[in-house]
Amino acid sequence: KNQVEQSPQSLIILEGKNCTLQCNYTVSPFSNLRWYKQDTGRGPVSLTIMTFSENTKSNGRYTATLDADTKQSSLHITASQLSDSASYICVVSERNYGGATNKLIFGTGTLLAVQP
Amino acid sequence: IAGITQAPTSQILAAGRRMTLRCTQDMRHNAMYWYRQDLGLGLRLIHYSNTAGTTGKGEVPDGYSVSRANTDDFPLTLASAVPSQTSVYFCASRDTDRAGELFFGEGSRLTVL
């Protein structure tokens, strides 16, 4: 069964510190992997997309990595800010060769709290 | 501002009542989705539509129905609400290209008493 697992479930860090969130998946065939940020009471917003051939992609203080061999991705946040407090959701797209829209498999998210 | 609009933002509903959550997008995306989000379970797909005129069942479709009469609108109906349908509901859309980003609405918080 295609699954996406995220760790840790929750994390508390001090403002200015770095942190790394993990995403392991068993989705096959793989199309791409996205990290979404969901602020409290809001809808998720895409941060990065990783395709099979990409190892690293940055978006400001957010850096995502992908190891397609081990089926692992990480999201590294540098110099955290209070506004980084949110849930971070890993979403893996299963490639559909039949022409239909690719199926999306969601992780349950990591809840990050940045404290002053 | 382009995006997805959901209504209502929140609603308290008596069990057994009928309820329709509205979703409208102005990005001309072909695919639209309804998810529910519950603590510890993440986002789960209820129903989807790959293009106007077609719909499909997701992971948790029971008790819900959808329609897609046109590209922009994708309402979700609870025919007879039950307390287990208390949740936050998110509508989303995306282009049907294979790397298409999901765009989410701001959610509708539904409480069924």
Side-chain angles (χ1 to χ4, degrees):
Chain A
K1 179 181 178 182
N2 286 331
Q3 288 186 312
V4 175
E5 295 184 355
Q6 293 187 242
S7 62
Q9 282 189 316
S10 62
L11 181 63
I12 301 173
I13 62 173
L14 293 176
E15 185 178 12
K17 298 296 185 181
N18 303 336
C19 68
T20 299
L21 314 180
Q22 299 290 344
C23 174
N24 297 339
Y25 62 93
T26 60
V27 178
S28 181
F30 173 86
S31 177
N32 62 70
L33 182 150
R34 284 187 186 269
W35 284 93
Y36 286 80
K37 178 187 180 188
Q38 185 177 21
D39 293 319
T40 301
R42 308 293 298 273
V45 175
S46 178
L47 288 174
T48 64
I49 177 173
M50 308 287 289
T51 58
F52 187 86
S53 59
E54 295 175 307
N55 299 118
T56 303
K57 184 171 286 187
S58 291
N59 177 2
R61 294 180 297 101
Y62 300 101
T63 299
T65 65
L66 176 66
D67 185 334
D69 292 331
T70 62
K71 298 186 176 181
Q72 296 179 324
S73 176
S74 66
L75 181 68
H76 185 74
I77 304 175
T78 303
S80 61
Q81 299 177 358
L82 298 179
S83 59
D84 293 330
S85 295
S87 179
Y88 292 83
I89 303 169
C90 177
V91 182
V92 180
S93 179
E94 175 187 314
R95 182 172 295 279
N96 186 328
Y97 293 100
T101 305
N102 287 353
K103 181 179 179 180
L104 302 175
I105 297 95
F106 286 74
T108 55
T110 292
L111 183 61
L112 174 66
V114 180
Q115 294 184 341
Chain B
I1 298 176
I4 292 188
T5 302
Q6 291 186 233
T9 304
S10 65
Q11 182 76 43
I12 299 174
L13 189 66
R17 296 298 294 270
R18 180 184 180 89
M19 177 71 193
T20 295
L21 304 180
R22 300 183 298 278
C23 175
T24 300
Q25 56 112 350
D26 60 4
M27 296 173 283
R28 307 302 295 173
H29 287 167
N30 286 330
M32 296 188 74
Y33 308 85
W34 273 105
Y35 295 91
R36 60 177 289 174
Q37 187 174 41
D38 303 288
L39 193 63
L41 295 178
L43 287 154
R44 292 183 292 169
L45 182 63
I46 304 171
H47 284 288
Y48 66 92
S49 170
N50 287 330
T51 188
T54 69
T55 62
K57 293 182 179 180
E59 181 184 358
V60 288
D62 294 344
Y64 306 94
S65 64
V66 293
S67 62
R68 188 87 183 277
N70 56 62
T71 298
D72 298 341
D73 300 302
F74 191 45
L76 176 73
T77 298
L78 290 67
S80 179
V82 295
S84 62
Q85 292 178 311
T86 294
S87 186
V88 182
Y89 292 86
F90 287 97
C91 180
S93 72
R94 66 169 173 164
D95 282 334
T96 49
D97 70 276
R98 294 180 178 176
E101 174 184 350
L102 269 176
F103 291 84
F104 286 87
E106 298 291 32
S108 295
R109 180 176 294 276
L110 183 65
T111 302
V112 183
L113 302 176

